């Protein structure tokens, strides 16, 4: 099962490596990991996407909680939540492809943020499946490079992760 | 008045009432050593290898209820210490290790004696710090001691660059520690405890399985009261020996790979199993699928939530400090007249007595050759079961655990989790310094003892009258045993050739050495050793090289699939 784990941790050097070290040392899987400081600069917020059985996810959350710098851990996928990821895609855009790619980007509510006579850079946000779908929809020969941030997640409504 | 970072370090140790600091000097810690020189509250013990410093500090902690403390220099000083740190981490021993680091400006430039200490030790400490500002030294050391001793204890490392120890600031030792991200649970959940007590009262075949957490949390008295109130059988793991008196009739001895027949059978066939400060280790329950194949309810008391339901699913998890939870359970038991069904309990004990009659610890003694088990038995008799016993790792460790009946906690000091050969002698140093005047014995083998033999020199310097019982079988005994069982008697690299004359070696270090060849001389030799109150005595027992440790549950097998003797092979 795919889980989205969100945590607040002390914004200190080394905290990220404690988390990533934990995953590699115990053989847990990381699909993606994003981290940045929060509105309170002493805290970082991290979103980890991991795939594992319920037992493993339970161990992951317990082990994360055990890290001294981790303040709070929540498995967002236990209830309603929103996931968003940012992707930048550089596409070869020449001839009739230019119009087609523009139309496709519009359909996916992407924005073209850089244009040359032969390339576009498309910026797109959404849940990971939507980004996958866009990549699928574009002729693979036209994709020059892609870069994705990994998922950032937040709970819906009253689910608040705060100190 | 501003003082140097080095002086602050020493003042912090004084504030923490550190009486012994085990260490080894080097470039990055010179300022700290200079400050140590100027005072006499913190006594420094100079070892001969940093690994031994950490082991000695570890054993100092294990044999008391205090935080052990070690000091090493940067680079190789630290890497030598890593085995000691990992050993303490696996057994949850509260320790603070202070390491020197190259000056702040040199970090990351591959400076002389530089390693990424925080990176290297991260997976084997409870927490670690790199102190970059002299103002942070005191609060960081305060936090380190607090983290080491609270919650699930463990080693904490503080890495301090040389320039930070030279910089100056005002000293103030914080009175308290506040950490929003660290709040260990102490009291167990009331509802869960109630459920557990109810389950126990309804049990027909109850069993208590107590681990190292009972020792670490100083809960032996409470465990004894709890077990005796219910009249239920109790087993103590390798790390938990002494948590319940081994000579009491309710004790079934040790469980697991080399545990007793009755303990393993009772673990398997109990209907309610109470695990207290234990973690269902692979050496304790054998194959988890086999262990889970019979129905039983499990109550698990542990301070570390991640220990619960890690290897075995439990029915009633109780996260909390063992003595607090036991107190509450005792209180609830006292408040009710209900007791487990007497007839069922009697039938359960009858069954256990039947298992006990297998007498799984019997061994064929000999008049010709010394049996290692016999040496441990005699050691137990001569010391009246009241010595501190450390061991190394291997066959001798298991025989010491099996044949020395520990009635008190913190008397049995060994590396259970990491299984570190070479701990025995430095462990005995830490114990002897913590308990001057008390008998301290090392049960070791000719292979393990050579892994830290240089510490005989430290023992001479500090006049530590340790008694070393070397069960010399000229083999890496446990390796040889596995090769005999599983590798067609091909004793690949397990024969110990070119051994030194240990008695003479001990003498060369200024100690007393004695070689013992005949079973008839064993007892006298041990008596003689303990009579020499001021001498370290190295007893080199020439024991049967073919002896194996029984019972044995082979790796991957179920707990009840035991080999009881060579006849079962």
């Amino acid at each position: 099962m795919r889980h989205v784990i969100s945590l607040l941790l002390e914004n200190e050097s080394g905290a990220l490596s404690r988390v990533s070290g934990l995953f590699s040392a115990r053989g847990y899987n990381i699909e993606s990991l994003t981290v940045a400081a929060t509105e309170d600069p002493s805290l970082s917020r991290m979103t980890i996407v991991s795939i594992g059985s319920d037992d493993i996810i339970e161990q992951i959350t317990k082990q994360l909680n055990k890290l001294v710098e981790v303040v709070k851990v929540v498995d967002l996928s236990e209830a309603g939540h929103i996931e968003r990821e940012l992707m930048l895609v550089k596409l070869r855009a020449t001839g009739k492809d230019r119009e087609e790619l523009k139309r496709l980007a519009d359909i996916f509510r992407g924005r073209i943020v850089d244009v040359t006579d032969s390339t576009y850079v498309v910026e797109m946000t959404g849940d990971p499946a939507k980004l996958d779908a866009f990549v699928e929809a574009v002729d693979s020969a036209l994709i020059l490079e892609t870069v994705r941030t990994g998922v950032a997640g937040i709970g819906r409504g009253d689910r608040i992760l705060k100190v | 008045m501003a003082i140097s970072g080095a002086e602050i370090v020493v003042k912090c140790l004084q504030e923490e009432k550190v009486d012994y600091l085990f260490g080894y000097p080097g470039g990055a810690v010179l300022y700290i050593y200079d400050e140590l020189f100027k005072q006499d509250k913190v006594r420094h013990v100079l070892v001969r290898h940093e690994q031994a410093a950490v082991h000695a500090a570890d054993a100092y902690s294990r044999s008391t209820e205090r935080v052990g403390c070690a000091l090493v220099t940067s680079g190789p000083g630290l890497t030598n210490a890593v085995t000691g740190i990992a050993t303490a981490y696996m057994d949850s021993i509260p320790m603070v290790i202070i390491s020197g680091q190259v000056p702040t400006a040199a970090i990351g430039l591959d400076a002389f004696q530089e390693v990424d200490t925080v990176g290297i030790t991260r997976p084997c400490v409870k927490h670690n710090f790199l102190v970059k500002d002299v103002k942070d030294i005191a609060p960081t050391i305060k936090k380190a001691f607090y983290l080491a001793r609270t919650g699930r204890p463990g080693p904490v490392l503080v890495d301090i660059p040389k320039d930070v120890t030279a910089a100056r600031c005002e000293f103030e030792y914080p009175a308290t520690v506040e950490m929003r991200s660290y709040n260990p649970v102490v009291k167990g959940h009331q509802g869960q405890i109630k459920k557990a007590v109810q389950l126990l009262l309804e049990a027909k075949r109850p069993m208590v399985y107590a681990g190292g957490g009972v020792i670490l949390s100083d809960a032996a008295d409470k465990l004894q009261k709890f077990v005796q109130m219910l009249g239920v059988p109790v087993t103590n793991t390798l790390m938990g020996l002494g948590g319940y008196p081994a000579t009491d009739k309710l004790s079934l001895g040790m469980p697991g790979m080399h545990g007793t027949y009755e303990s393993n059978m009772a673990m398997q066939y109990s209907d309610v199993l109470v695990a207290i400060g234990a973690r269902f280790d692979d050496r304790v329950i054998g194959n988890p699928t086999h262990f889970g194949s019979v129905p039983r309810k499990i109550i698990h008391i542990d301070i570390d939530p991640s220990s619960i339901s890690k290897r075995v699913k439990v029915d009633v998890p109780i996260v909390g400090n063992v003595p607090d939870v036991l107190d509450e359970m005792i209180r609830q038991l006292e408040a009710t007249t209900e007791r487990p069904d007497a007839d069922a309990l009697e039938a359960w004990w009858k069954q256990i007595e039947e298992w006990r009659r297998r007498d799984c610890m019997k061994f064929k003694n000999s008049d010709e050759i010394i049996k290692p088990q016999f040496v441990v038995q005699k050691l137990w008799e001569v010391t009246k079961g009241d010595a501190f016993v450390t061991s190394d790792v291997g066959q001798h460790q298991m025989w010491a655990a099996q044949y020395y009946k520990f009635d008190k906690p913190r008397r049995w000091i060994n590396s259970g989790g990491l299984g570190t050969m070479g701990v025995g002698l430095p462990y005995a140093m830490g114990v002897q310094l913590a308990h001057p005047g008390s008998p301290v014995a090392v049960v070791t083998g000719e292979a393990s003892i050579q892994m830290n033999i240089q510490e005989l020199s430290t023992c001479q310097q500090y006049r530590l009258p340790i008694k070393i019982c070397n069960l010399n079988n000229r083999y890496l005994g446990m390796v040889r045993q596995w090769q005999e069982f599983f590798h067609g008697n091909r004793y690949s690299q397990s024969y110990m050739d070119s051994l030194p004359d240990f008695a003479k070696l001990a003498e060369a270090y200024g100690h007393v050495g004695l070689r013992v060849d005949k079973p008839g001389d064993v007892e006298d030799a041990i008596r003689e050793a303990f009579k020499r109150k001021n001498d370290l005595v190295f007893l080199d027992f020439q024991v049967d090289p073919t002896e194996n440790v029984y019972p044995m549950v082979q790796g991957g097998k179920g707990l009840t699939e035991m080999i009881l003797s060579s006849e079962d092979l």
Side-chain angles (χ1 to χ4, degrees):
Chain A
M1 265 285 282
R2 179 177 175 279
H3 288 256
V4 181
I5 298 162
S6 200
L7 47 150
L8 282 174
L9 66 166
E10 297 292 347
N11 186 7
E12 283 168 8
S13 70
L16 168 63
S17 55
R18 280 183 220 282
V19 173
S20 59
L22 169 70
F23 275 75
S24 61
R26 294 193 181 262
Y28 305 141
N29 148 300
I30 300 185
E31 290 286 297
S32 74
L33 185 157
T34 66
V35 62
T38 64
E39 78 284 5
D40 170 357
S42 72
L43 282 174
S44 291
R45 168 100 177 219
M46 190 181 278
T47 308
I48 302 171
V49 178
S50 182
I51 293 176
S53 63
D54 289 350
D55 290 352
I56 288 180
I57 299 295
E58 184 185 333
Q59 265 299 311
I60 290 175
T61 53
K62 283 175 170 177
Q63 294 289 349
L64 284 170
N65 263 313
K66 206 163 120 178
L67 294 175
V68 168
E69 283 156 338
V70 170
V71 184
K72 272 190 181 170
V73 180
V74 64
D75 183 352
L76 287 178
S77 37
E78 275 176 350
H81 69 284
I82 295 159
E83 294 174 31
R84 287 294 179 267
E85 187 176 1
L86 168 68
M87 174 170 70
L88 298 172
V89 198
K90 189 175 285 177
L91 302 166
R92 173 169 288 120
T94 52
K96 64 176 176 10
D97 289 337
R98 285 180 84 85
E99 189 51 33
E100 175 59 22
L101 289 170
K102 168 85 172 66
R103 211 162 31 229
L104 205 56
D106 286 343
I107 293 170
F108 279 85
R109 287 185 216 142
R111 294 196 303 150
I112 296 171
V113 292
D114 183 60
V115 179
T116 69
D117 56 0
S118 60
T119 63
Y120 283 161
V121 173
V122 178
E123 170 201 310
M124 190 174 289
T125 58
D127 64 33
K130 170 184 155 182
L131 304 188
D132 291 345
F134 179 75
V135 171
E136 281 289 304
V138 176
D139 178 355
S140 62
L142 300 180
I143 299 179
L144 297 172
E145 57 178 309
T146 65
V147 53
R148 294 170 70 151
T149 57
V151 167
I154 198 164
R156 282 189 184 275
D158 292 338
R159 298 184 80 207
I160 293 162
L161 180 61
K162 211 173 164 57
V163 174
Chain B
M1 193 187 71
I3 59 172
S4 74
E7 194 176 349
I8 292 175
V9 170
V10 175
K11 281 203 182 304
C12 290
L13 299 181
Q14 290 173 350
E15 290 281 342
E16 290 292 342
K17 309 268 187 301
V18 172
D19 53 358
Y20 285 107
L21 174 64
F22 301 86
Y24 205 100
V29 285
L30 276 174
Y31 289 115
I32 300 175
Y33 272 87
D34 199 37
E35 291 303 326
L36 284 169
F37 188 83
K38 297 174 188 165
Q39 54 85 56
D40 53 12
K41 279 191 192 144
V42 179
R43 281 172 285 182
H44 183 271
V45 178
L46 177 69
V47 294
R48 299 301 184 262
H49 186 288
E50 288 88 348
Q51 183 189 346
V54 182
H55 288 326
D58 167 345
Y60 177 92
S61 174
R62 289 180 201 240
S63 70
T64 60
E65 69 295 349
R66 313 186 50 193
V67 178
C69 203
L71 172 62
V72 297
T73 193
S74 65
L78 180 279
T79 54
N80 278 346
V82 168
T83 301
I85 299 171
T87 304
Y89 181 66
M90 285 294 273
D91 291 342
S92 307
I93 306 303
M95 281 185 64
V96 171
I97 302 100
I98 294 174
S99 58
Q101 182 55 278
V102 301
T104 319
I107 290 178
L109 302 178
D110 302 319
F112 177 64
Q113 294 196 328
E114 179 186 2
V115 288
D116 174 9
T117 296
V118 164
I120 283 181
T121 56
R122 188 182 301 120
C124 59
V125 292
K126 181 169 173 182
H127 198 60
N128 58 18
F129 299 93
L130 170 63
V131 183
K132 286 185 170 162
D133 187 330
V134 65
K135 288 200 272 312
D136 294 335
I137 292 180
T140 305
I141 293 180
K142 177 78 186 179
K143 269 187 199 169
F145 275 87
Y146 173 70
L147 286 170
R149 72 162 80 89
T150 54
R152 180 176 179 172
V156 179
L157 179 136
V158 182
D159 196 30
I160 313 178
K162 187 170 184 179
D163 57 317
V164 177
T165 63
R168 300 174 83 81
C169 78
E170 299 281 330
F171 172 67
E172 196 199 331
Y173 202 59
T176 53
V177 180
E178 282 280 344
M179 294 174 85
R180 62 179 167 186
S181 61
Y182 178 78
N183 300 294
V185 177
V186 176
K187 298 244 178 277
H189 188 277
Q190 282 286 333
Q192 291 293 92
I193 294 177
K194 208 165 169 189
K195 239 197 262 176
V197 168
Q198 203 49 45
L199 208 54
L200 262 171
L201 291 174
E202 288 161 14
K204 302 228 175 310
R205 300 183 306 280
M207 168 88 173
V208 171
Y209 149 49
V214 171
I215 311 278
L216 289 169
S217 65
D218 289 309
D221 299 353
K222 284 170 184 155
L223 176 69
Q224 206 168 325
K225 186 164 182 198
F226 173 71
V227 166
Q228 288 172 359
M229 274 177 97
L230 291 166
V232 297
V234 54
T235 181
N236 292 92
T237 68
L238 182 69
M239 292 312 297
L241 294 178
Y244 188 90
T247 52
D248 187 83
K249 61 184 190 315
L250 301 184
S251 168
L252 305 191
M254 186 170 76
M257 182 172 268
H258 296 297
T260 65
Y261 182 73
E262 53 271 30
S263 170
N264 284 348
M265 294 301 277
M267 285 278 284
Q268 186 77 359
Y269 295 112
S270 59
D271 69 341
V272 175
L273 182 64
V274 194
I276 307 177
R279 59 187 178 93
F280 295 92
D281 178 81
D282 55 298
R283 287 295 193 263
V284 168
I285 61 158
N287 183 329
T289 315
H290 181 276
F291 185 70
S293 65
V294 286
R296 81 169 84 60
K297 296 277 184 206
I298 298 178
I299 299 162
H300 192 174
I301 306 167
D302 204 292
I303 194 140
D304 178 3
S306 73
S307 275
I308 295 176
S309 289
K310 182 168 72 177
R311 300 193 75 244
V312 166
K313 273 269 161 223
V314 310
D315 302 277
V316 185
I318 303 173
V319 177
N321 194 26
V322 167
D324 292 85
V325 175
L326 283 180
D327 258 346
E328 180 56 26
M329 289 179 96
I330 290 167
R331 199 190 62 75
Q332 291 193 14
L333 282 169
E334 279 170 345
T336 172
T337 52
E338 260 186 275
R339 281 296 174 265
D341 178 350
D343 293 344
L345 200 57
E346 199 189 316
W348 177 224
W349 272 111
K350 230 172 119 187
Q351 170 67 73
I352 290 169
E353 289 307 330
E354 203 171 295
W355 289 330
R356 262 183 179 158
R357 275 196 291 278
R358 295 285 291 262
D359 196 10
C360 67
M361 286 299 159
K362 68 170 180 280
F363 61 94
K364 267 196 209 97
N365 213 352
S366 155
D367 297 333
E368 304 292 313
I369 189 160
I370 301 173
K371 291 288 180 178
Q373 301 95 321
F374 176 68
V375 176
V376 179
Q377 270 185 348
K378 286 293 159 197
L379 176 66
W380 178 65
E381 282 173 28
V382 170
T383 58
K384 301 188 177 65
D386 205 23
F388 288 87
V389 179
T390 78
S391 87
D392 273 297
V393 169
Q395 284 185 320
H396 66 266
Q397 176 191 23
M398 292 300 117
W399 285 318
Q402 290 174 334
Y403 293 93
Y404 200 101
K405 310 242 170 273
F406 293 93
D407 283 340
K408 293 179 188 165
R410 298 191 183 276
R411 292 302 176 97
W412 165 239
I413 315 288
N414 84 131
S415 165
L418 197 66
T420 309
M421 286 173 71
V423 296
L425 182 55
Y427 269 2
M429 292 168 10
V431 174
Q432 188 76 77
L433 283 163
H435 306 273
S438 295
V440 179
V442 186
V443 177
T444 184
E446 78 294 337
S448 282
I449 191 71
Q450 290 192 84
M451 285 205 182
N452 267 319
I453 192 94
Q454 77 285 348
E455 296 308 317
L456 283 174
S457 173
T458 312
C459 294
Q460 178 61 17
Q461 183 173 343
Y462 297 91
R463 304 286 188 272
L464 303 177
I466 293 160
K467 314 305 173 202
I468 299 172
C469 298
N470 188 31
L471 305 182
N472 188 342
N473 61 2
R474 280 86 71 206
Y475 275 106
L476 294 174
M478 193 58 94
V479 173
R480 190 205 52 73
Q481 178 170 342
W482 282 53
Q483 288 171 333
E484 180 187 330
F485 289 6
F486 312 122
H487 299 278
N489 299 304
R490 290 181 298 282
Y491 297 144
S492 179
Q493 302 300 316
S494 55
Y495 183 68
M496 275 275 129
D497 205 339
S498 304
L499 286 172
D501 179 330
F502 286 105
K504 277 194 183 146
L505 185 65
E507 281 165 17
Y509 278 106
H511 303 300
V512 178
L514 204 61
R515 179 183 158 119
V516 187
D517 293 273
K518 295 199 192 75
D521 296 338
V522 168
E523 186 171 338
D524 284 348
I526 298 174
R527 284 196 189 283
E528 170 66 17
F530 280 94
K531 247 183 238 154
R532 290 175 165 269
K533 293 235 178 295
N534 299 318
D535 294 317
L536 182 150
V537 183
F538 195 119
L539 298 170
D540 186 21
F541 294 103
Q542 307 302 306
V543 302
D544 185 351
T546 64
E547 195 61 38
N548 288 327
V549 181
Y550 298 110
M552 180 175 183
V553 179
Q554 300 175 39
K557 293 273 181 167
L559 203 46
T560 55
E561 300 168 308
M562 279 168 278
I563 306 171
L564 291 184
S565 71
S566 58
E567 289 146 30
D568 290 352
L569 286 172

